[in-house]
Amino acid sequence: MKGRDSGVRAVFALAGLLLPATAGGQVTVTGDAGAFNAYVWRGVTLTNQFVLQPDLYLTIPAGGGSVVLGGWGSIEAGQYNDPANDLSEGGGTSSFNATEVDLWAEYSRALGSALTGTFGGVLYLFPNEAGLTND
């Protein structure tokens, strides 16, 4: 049993060494994606079918703080076959329909040892309403 415990510790130690460390003044790019069975925004169901929601952001050190530029999207992954019961932000007529893209920018800076100030803005884009898609 003791050999197994040391093997588990070695795996965790190796994983810790492989994780990237952030150095002060370093530009970082971060991204992820989620897959969900519905898209609910502030308590309102916009899509009650499968969606993919990727996000990507860039952090840049600036003026003693940092600037973050980012984007997020909601993509309806399939066509809907029940117009009476299926909710679709994009109409549900095509697969992999990008129904929403949100872009944001913010600046934050430490204001003392226990307070951080942040300001920024968000732009909500709806490609279907802008005529950028076939739906």
Side-chain angles (χ1 to χ4, degrees):
M1 216 40 166
K2 187 171 185 169
R4 181 175 163 184
D5 289 342
S6 62
V8 171
R9 285 187 203 137
V11 169
F12 280 111
L14 181 60
L17 292 174
L18 295 175
L19 293 175
T22 302
Q26 184 176 3
V27 174
T28 59
V29 177
T30 306
D32 62 24
F36 305 97
N37 64 351
Y39 173 28
V40 179
W41 184 72
R42 296 187 179 182
V44 176
T45 301
L46 299 177
T47 301
N48 66 353
Q49 298 294 322
F50 187 70
V51 293
L52 302 172
Q53 295 179 334
D55 119 29
L56 181 70
Y57 58 95
L58 174 71
T59 304
I60 306 164
S66 63
V67 173
V68 180
L69 306 171
W72 172 90
S74 184
I75 302 166
E76 293 180 0
Q79 290 181 296
Y80 298 178
N81 56 10
D82 185 0
N85 294 312
D86 289 341
L87 298 175
S88 170
E89 193 176 16
T93 59
S94 64
S95 296
F96 292 98
N97 185 358
T99 57
E100 184 177 342
V101 176
D102 302 345
L103 303 174
W104 74 89
E106 69 180 37
Y107 177 76
S108 65
R109 183 176 177 160
L111 304 172
S113 62
L115 185 63
T116 300
T118 302
F119 70 91
V122 180
L123 176 63
Y124 296 97
L125 302 170
F126 301 94
N128 294 317
E129 292 178 17
L132 301 177
T133 63
N134 293 329
D135 292 339

